[in-house]
Amino acid sequence: MQSTRKIRVLIAKPGLDSHDRGAKVVARALRDAGMEVIYTGLRQTPEQIVETALQEDVDVIGLSILSGAHKALFPRIMELIKEKGLTDVMVFAGGIIPEEDIPELKKIGIKEVFGPGTPTDKIIKFVLENLPKRT
Amino acid sequence: MFDKERIKEIEKQRERWENTTLPKWISHHPERRKEFRNHSGMQIKRVYTPEDIQEMDYMRDLGFPGEYPFTRGLHATMYRGRIWTMRMFAGYGTAEDTNKRFKYLLSEGETGLSTAFDYPTIMGYDSDHPMARGEVGVCGVAVSSLKDMEILFDGIPLDKVTTSMTINGPASTLLAMYVAVGDKQGVPREKLGGTTQNDNLKEFFAQKLCIFPPKPSLKLSTDVIEYCARHLPKWNPISISGYHIREAGATALQELAFTLYDGIAYVESTLERGLKVDDFAPRLSFFFASHNDFFEEIAKFRAARRLWAKIMKERFHAKNPRSMWMRMHVQTSGCTLTAQQPLNNIVRTTIQALAAVLGGTQSLHTNSFDEALCLPTEEAVRVALRTQQIIAYESGVADTVDPLAGSYYIEALTNEMEEKAMEYIQKIDDMGGAIAAIEKGFFQKEIANSAYRYQREIDEKKRIIVGVNEYTIKGEEEYPLKILRVDPKVEEEQIARLQKVKRERDNRKVKEVLEKLHYAAEKDENLMPTIIEAVKAYATLGEITEVLRKVYGEYKELIVI
Amino acid sequence: MSKTEEIVKGVLAGNKRSIAKAITLIENNDPEAKKLLAHVYSHTGKAHIIGITGPGGSGKSTLIEKIVREYRRNGKKVGVIAVDPTSPFTGGAFLGDRIRMQELSTDEDVFIRSMATRNYLGGIARATKDAVKVLDASGKDVIIVETVGAGQSEVEIIKIADSVVVIHAPGLGDEIQAIKAGLMEIADIFVVNKADRENADKAVIDIQSMLQLNNKEKAWKPPIIKTVALTGEGVTELIEKLEEHRKFLEKEKARKKSLSKAEAELVEAIKEQTANSIIEKLRKEGTLEEVLQKIVKKEIDPVSAAEKLLKEKFKKE
């Protein structure tokens, strides 16, 4: 039988905020683009997010946050990703994140940050183009 | 409203027009789209005429302002008497910071306070809880104990202001703290005025800040309604909220129908406590969003008022006209704000605010133009408040009551909104009520579908959002925003204060009163009196919520995409 | 050491990342998956494999969370595979079962994996069976498979699980019909969840009366247990019954059951391999494409087409 790889994506919401409209719309758009999307619901700790990514062996993690706690939570998530050796996972983020914070987030390994109003097509395209190479 | 002969004549003339003038024009100037629809999916006609409201009966359907069915407004003179309350949501950092902002807003002419709490407070966690990491004071003010509440309202006499508190799961605890501050200031409880949002039902499908499962959540909301009816006559115990339903992606119609249904559920639940409908219904209040589609929003507000009046009269047999009043607070829609070209948001907010005013709202919050990027700066908040003042004092729209009444379009749309909302209400009734619909994921599915459809329309440019999918500026745009940031020290200071409170209070007394609370919760008593006792002993919000978590369990969300 | 050997080593040591990678290889039909399974096979057969099925809304995921907690209290290592459907239109899937179990995901001795059916029918995925083997070989004492939950056609689980739990809940309306139609025979244990609701006793009686019709001569009489997944009520009893069933299998029918399981697996493997070789052949000849076009044009239906193809092309064989 032919080998059939599917793109697996974890959409995760760290922090306490409950604005999941964007996360869900993105999850649905990625699913409709043929991906397998794991959504773990609101208020996930960095530990839970990274542990889920590991067990589900996802290719991509999308983090959504609107509470402003990204500066406290994203570095912790990226640290855990390194710690667990998830070198073949691409991470992107979305939500309300001030422009001036973005360079710092990219420095710690977040590939892209999408603000409000990003078309879902753009996110799908981004995921497809930046899929980590896996052997 | 029109006699039959006249309608027939109009019909004949319309048909003639459709066969002569119209095709001639369209053949040279085709319309922009094949069909026009509003957010709720209702088809918008090319032109409205008396035919569209021929069944309307002025006295039955509109009446006079201040009289049933209140379509034209709750008060006889509306804004000719008093302008709506300009209430701006505020709160960030420590209690001291927000206290300062409150005093600033009062000095700028604002007439009511509105408190935003940070996420740990909203979820019933103290500032030192592990889940609170990075969130303390970020999206609102942190309140963990009565100490914080005392500082928050320091120097603000509680009998001179009204305070709205955006809090749901832990509403009883925050209200108890407010009552305790009032007691300390020597303000009689019957003089305390304000609102607790306290609408736990919508949390399950809209705002998703749920602590407990649906049934105990409804019980806690009802506790507050009952307690206020008996002891805090000027307090609005609940603000039945469509705003969050809308922001979660619902259409105007769904917002209207689901909010009113939540209202029905609260009334039913309070009636079970042995109160009469007229004992508490006058203090129920509502909270809606005002979105981009100007006329759709106006029609929604008018239909909401008329439909609620009918429900109270016909379904619950209210006698007091005030029980039939739908008093509403409106906020312009946060999810319409764009990060791109942020100054455009001032214009959006103006149009939305105008719709709320023409819809007859009692109070209004206007969003700040920078809110898609960060917490609003003082400058942005001022512009938002000025927007309301310009509408109130310069535009002239406040000088007559319900100026759009009688517009063929507005009245037809108001009727359609009401009819379709009734269909939803019927459907939810058949499902077994609000909690059954929540457990089935009905609301969740409806909203998720609308949210997705809306986004697809934007992606496919079927819906134009200026600066986002059309009229964009090439390259990275830079707007020199002064971004308000909460100092990370806030978290440290807040935790230090909390620990000091825990050291200095009488811990034996705290233990006692928490045990008493546990017992009361198991006995299914109204918890308000015990919670007031607990906060006065400086039991913290986290401790009180933890007791209730033990008794009621924690809610795990039902994911519907 | 080759990459696959490394993964095998990790799986046998219970390393979570290796387990995850192994399951991915299996799901993707990677050529390495066969090698991997050959290596781990001799380490399987120790775990108690529990299938959990029942209609949507019966509270499967919530109950599983409580079951896992209970097993953890007893010191057992647990694996969970939660299956959700793949959309036949887009090939995508939304996997949301683990949300109810998220607090368990950081437990060192719990491994949870969501799996899309990738259009496999019968309530599980094609890869589920082999993923269970990986978890088994990794040292898990209990492995729970949650099926899609679409109702009657979910009988595939019986080929994988030692014990099948069928969950029902009052107030689901006609779903009891689904249980009658298909799930009745496969249940080793019935659960009536949401037992704090009215009509719970009626649901129990319904199941009892159906059982009386069906299971007159069976050595194992499926018990009916009432649970409230939200509070965990009845879960201890459920675990006791599962343990009883496991012992029962071991004692009396273990050999038979595993023989029939082995048979089912062998038959499945033959089916898959023959089907694949036939399809490959047809594809190479171009016949497949030809017939597909006819089906698309509605000139022939797929079932008749298959019948005709097999008759014409493989007469001699």
PDB file of all heavy atoms in Angstrom, chain B residues 226-239:
ATOM      1  N   GLU B 226     -32.049  36.527  43.277  1.00  0.00           N
ATOM      2  CA  GLU B 226     -32.955  36.430  44.425  1.00  0.00           C
ATOM      3  C   GLU B 226     -32.493  37.351  45.564  1.00  0.00           C
ATOM      4  O   GLU B 226     -33.282  38.093  46.149  1.00  0.00           O
ATOM      5  CB  GLU B 226     -33.018  34.984  44.929  1.00  0.00           C
ATOM      6  CG  GLU B 226     -34.046  34.811  46.049  1.00  0.00           C
ATOM      7  CD  GLU B 226     -33.954  33.440  46.745  1.00  0.00           C
ATOM      8  OE1 GLU B 226     -33.011  32.681  46.478  1.00  0.00           O
ATOM      9  OE2 GLU B 226     -34.848  33.165  47.580  1.00  0.00           O
ATOM     10  N   TYR B 227     -31.195  37.313  45.849  1.00  0.00           N
ATOM     11  CA  TYR B 227     -30.671  38.130  46.948  1.00  0.00           C
ATOM     12  C   TYR B 227     -30.918  39.617  46.694  1.00  0.00           C
ATOM     13  O   TYR B 227     -31.350  40.352  47.585  1.00  0.00           O
ATOM     14  CB  TYR B 227     -29.174  37.873  47.151  1.00  0.00           C
ATOM     15  CG  TYR B 227     -28.610  38.635  48.328  1.00  0.00           C
ATOM     16  CD1 TYR B 227     -28.719  38.132  49.627  1.00  0.00           C
ATOM     17  CD2 TYR B 227     -28.010  39.876  48.148  1.00  0.00           C
ATOM     18  CE1 TYR B 227     -28.246  38.843  50.711  1.00  0.00           C
ATOM     19  CE2 TYR B 227     -27.529  40.598  49.237  1.00  0.00           C
ATOM     20  CZ  TYR B 227     -27.635  40.076  50.509  1.00  0.00           C
ATOM     21  OH  TYR B 227     -27.174  40.793  51.588  1.00  0.00           O
ATOM     22  N   CYS B 228     -30.669  40.055  45.461  1.00  0.00           N
ATOM     23  CA  CYS B 228     -30.867  41.468  45.136  1.00  0.00           C
ATOM     24  C   CYS B 228     -32.339  41.854  45.254  1.00  0.00           C
ATOM     25  O   CYS B 228     -32.670  42.935  45.751  1.00  0.00           O
ATOM     26  CB  CYS B 228     -30.345  41.784  43.732  1.00  0.00           C
ATOM     27  SG  CYS B 228     -28.554  41.717  43.640  1.00  0.00           S
ATOM     28  N   ALA B 229     -33.213  40.975  44.774  1.00  0.00           N
ATOM     29  CA  ALA B 229     -34.642  41.271  44.851  1.00  0.00           C
ATOM     30  C   ALA B 229     -35.053  41.501  46.301  1.00  0.00           C
ATOM     31  O   ALA B 229     -35.934  42.308  46.601  1.00  0.00           O
ATOM     32  CB  ALA B 229     -35.450  40.138  44.240  1.00  0.00           C
ATOM     33  N   ARG B 230     -34.396  40.794  47.212  1.00  0.00           N
ATOM     34  CA  ARG B 230     -34.792  40.899  48.616  1.00  0.00           C
ATOM     35  C   ARG B 230     -34.021  41.981  49.368  1.00  0.00           C
ATOM     36  O   ARG B 230     -34.512  42.525  50.340  1.00  0.00           O
ATOM     37  CB  ARG B 230     -34.605  39.549  49.310  1.00  0.00           C
ATOM     38  CG  ARG B 230     -35.463  38.422  48.699  1.00  0.00           C
ATOM     39  CD  ARG B 230     -35.450  37.171  49.558  1.00  0.00           C
ATOM     40  NE  ARG B 230     -35.904  35.978  48.845  1.00  0.00           N
ATOM     41  CZ  ARG B 230     -37.190  35.632  48.701  1.00  0.00           C
ATOM     42  NH1 ARG B 230     -38.141  36.385  49.209  1.00  0.00           N
ATOM     43  NH2 ARG B 230     -37.507  34.534  48.033  1.00  0.00           N
ATOM     44  N   HIS B 231     -32.759  42.260  48.962  1.00  0.00           N
ATOM     45  CA  HIS B 231     -31.931  43.145  49.800  1.00  0.00           C
ATOM     46  C   HIS B 231     -31.270  44.321  49.097  1.00  0.00           C
ATOM     47  O   HIS B 231     -30.870  45.271  49.748  1.00  0.00           O
ATOM     48  CB  HIS B 231     -30.834  42.323  50.490  1.00  0.00           C
ATOM     49  CG  HIS B 231     -31.357  41.171  51.277  1.00  0.00           C
ATOM     50  ND1 HIS B 231     -31.966  41.333  52.503  1.00  0.00           N
ATOM     51  CD2 HIS B 231     -31.394  39.844  51.001  1.00  0.00           C
ATOM     52  CE1 HIS B 231     -32.348  40.138  52.961  1.00  0.00           C
ATOM     53  NE2 HIS B 231     -32.018  39.226  52.063  1.00  0.00           N
ATOM     54  N   LEU B 232     -31.061  44.258  47.782  1.00  0.00           N
ATOM     55  CA  LEU B 232     -30.366  45.351  47.092  1.00  0.00           C
ATOM     56  C   LEU B 232     -31.265  45.903  45.983  1.00  0.00           C
ATOM     57  O   LEU B 232     -31.044  45.636  44.797  1.00  0.00           O
ATOM     58  CB  LEU B 232     -29.043  44.867  46.481  1.00  0.00           C
ATOM     59  CG  LEU B 232     -27.967  44.279  47.392  1.00  0.00           C
ATOM     60  CD1 LEU B 232     -26.776  43.805  46.557  1.00  0.00           C
ATOM     61  CD2 LEU B 232     -27.496  45.292  48.425  1.00  0.00           C
ATOM     62  N   PRO B 233     -32.276  46.671  46.359  1.00  0.00           N
ATOM     63  CA  PRO B 233     -33.307  47.045  45.389  1.00  0.00           C
ATOM     64  C   PRO B 233     -32.793  47.857  44.195  1.00  0.00           C
ATOM     65  O   PRO B 233     -33.424  47.865  43.148  1.00  0.00           O
ATOM     66  CB  PRO B 233     -34.287  47.880  46.223  1.00  0.00           C
ATOM     67  CG  PRO B 233     -33.504  48.332  47.416  1.00  0.00           C
ATOM     68  CD  PRO B 233     -32.535  47.238  47.702  1.00  0.00           C
ATOM     69  N   LYS B 234     -31.639  48.543  44.345  1.00  0.00           N
ATOM     70  CA  LYS B 234     -31.170  49.357  43.225  1.00  0.00           C
ATOM     71  C   LYS B 234     -30.100  48.650  42.387  1.00  0.00           C
ATOM     72  O   LYS B 234     -29.523  49.234  41.477  1.00  0.00           O
ATOM     73  CB  LYS B 234     -30.606  50.691  43.733  1.00  0.00           C
ATOM     74  CG  LYS B 234     -31.710  51.714  44.029  1.00  0.00           C
ATOM     75  CD  LYS B 234     -31.144  53.037  44.475  1.00  0.00           C
ATOM     76  CE  LYS B 234     -30.418  53.778  43.348  1.00  0.00           C
ATOM     77  NZ  LYS B 234     -29.753  55.002  43.860  1.00  0.00           N
ATOM     78  N   TRP B 235     -29.814  47.427  42.749  1.00  0.00           N
ATOM     79  CA  TRP B 235     -28.768  46.703  42.020  1.00  0.00           C
ATOM     80  C   TRP B 235     -29.373  45.888  40.883  1.00  0.00           C
ATOM     81  O   TRP B 235     -30.416  45.251  41.060  1.00  0.00           O
ATOM     82  CB  TRP B 235     -28.017  45.769  42.978  1.00  0.00           C
ATOM     83  CG  TRP B 235     -26.736  45.281  42.375  1.00  0.00           C
ATOM     84  CD1 TRP B 235     -26.556  44.143  41.661  1.00  0.00           C
ATOM     85  CD2 TRP B 235     -25.475  45.954  42.399  1.00  0.00           C
ATOM     86  NE1 TRP B 235     -25.250  44.060  41.237  1.00  0.00           N
ATOM     87  CE2 TRP B 235     -24.560  45.150  41.678  1.00  0.00           C
ATOM     88  CE3 TRP B 235     -25.015  47.162  42.965  1.00  0.00           C
ATOM     89  CZ2 TRP B 235     -23.221  45.515  41.507  1.00  0.00           C
ATOM     90  CZ3 TRP B 235     -23.685  47.510  42.795  1.00  0.00           C
ATOM     91  CH2 TRP B 235     -22.807  46.694  42.066  1.00  0.00           C
ATOM     92  N   ASN B 236     -28.740  45.941  39.722  1.00  0.00           N
ATOM     93  CA  ASN B 236     -29.161  45.069  38.622  1.00  0.00           C
ATOM     94  C   ASN B 236     -28.389  43.768  38.766  1.00  0.00           C
ATOM     95  O   ASN B 236     -27.198  43.735  38.512  1.00  0.00           O
ATOM     96  CB  ASN B 236     -28.832  45.705  37.277  1.00  0.00           C
ATOM     97  CG  ASN B 236     -29.483  47.063  37.120  1.00  0.00           C
ATOM     98  OD1 ASN B 236     -30.673  47.219  37.367  1.00  0.00           O
ATOM     99  ND2 ASN B 236     -28.695  48.057  36.744  1.00  0.00           N
ATOM    100  N   PRO B 237     -29.052  42.713  39.163  1.00  0.00           N
ATOM    101  CA  PRO B 237     -28.321  41.495  39.510  1.00  0.00           C
ATOM    102  C   PRO B 237     -27.703  40.802  38.311  1.00  0.00           C
ATOM    103  O   PRO B 237     -26.758  40.035  38.453  1.00  0.00           O
ATOM    104  CB  PRO B 237     -29.394  40.604  40.137  1.00  0.00           C
ATOM    105  CG  PRO B 237     -30.679  41.096  39.577  1.00  0.00           C
ATOM    106  CD  PRO B 237     -30.507  42.571  39.372  1.00  0.00           C
ATOM    107  N   ILE B 238     -28.238  41.082  37.137  1.00  0.00           N
ATOM    108  CA  ILE B 238     -27.762  40.330  35.976  1.00  0.00           C
ATOM    109  C   ILE B 238     -27.823  41.202  34.727  1.00  0.00           C
ATOM    110  O   ILE B 238     -28.697  42.052  34.581  1.00  0.00           O
ATOM    111  CB  ILE B 238     -28.605  39.046  35.781  1.00  0.00           C
ATOM    112  CG1 ILE B 238     -27.975  38.123  34.742  1.00  0.00           C
ATOM    113  CG2 ILE B 238     -30.044  39.369  35.421  1.00  0.00           C
ATOM    114  CD1 ILE B 238     -28.538  36.712  34.742  1.00  0.00           C
ATOM    115  N   SER B 239     -26.883  41.011  33.870  1.00  0.00           N
ATOM    116  CA  SER B 239     -26.894  41.674  32.590  1.00  0.00           C
ATOM    117  C   SER B 239     -26.874  40.555  31.552  1.00  0.00           C
ATOM    118  O   SER B 239     -25.843  39.956  31.272  1.00  0.00           O
ATOM    119  CB  SER B 239     -25.656  42.556  32.490  1.00  0.00           C
ATOM    120  OG  SER B 239     -25.510  43.035  31.191  1.00  0.00           O
TER     121      SER B 239
END
